[in-house]
Amino acid sequence: MMEWVKYDRHDRSIVSHTDTLVTDGRRVVLVARHAAKIHPDGGYGWHINDTPLTWVTHWAKIVLPEEGDNQ
């Protein structure tokens, strides 16, 4: 089962430059990457290509079932 984690912008344990699911906690779910590249305040944040996402409230690792797993 996928576990959504509340986003803490000061948490440096989030793996950067890896595709991750992000949400606004309401309707939007997108694939984004966590990085310091272009965040407006110079810190880490979520991005799609070079566009910062300022509305992310939760994130989740993408976990695909292994081949042959029917769950």
Side-chain angles (χ1 to χ4, degrees), residues 7-12 34-47 52-54:
Y7 178 51
D8 174 1
R9 55 179 261 133
H10 301 289
D11 181 359
R12 295 299 171 250
H34 196 247
K37 190 162 117 177
I38 59 167
H39 199 270
D41 68 3
Y44 274 69
W46 295 100
H47 308 275
L53 305 176
T54 58

Side-chain angles (χ1 to χ4, degrees), residues 9-68:
R9 55 179 261 133
H10 301 289
D11 181 359
R12 295 299 171 250
S13 68
I14 301 169
V15 178
S16 65
H17 301 90
T18 301
D19 288 345
T20 307
L21 295 176
V22 296
T23 184
D24 64 354
R26 296 175 188 210
R27 287 187 235 174
V28 177
V29 175
L30 298 171
V31 175
R33 291 181 172 210
H34 196 247
K37 190 162 117 177
I38 59 167
H39 199 270
D41 68 3
Y44 274 69
W46 295 100
H47 308 275
I48 295 178
N49 297 324
D50 288 335
T51 304
L53 305 176
T54 58
W55 45 260
V56 174
T57 62
H58 293 78
W59 62 275
K61 291 181 182 178
I62 297 173
V63 180
L64 298 174
E66 296 197 24
E67 189 173 330

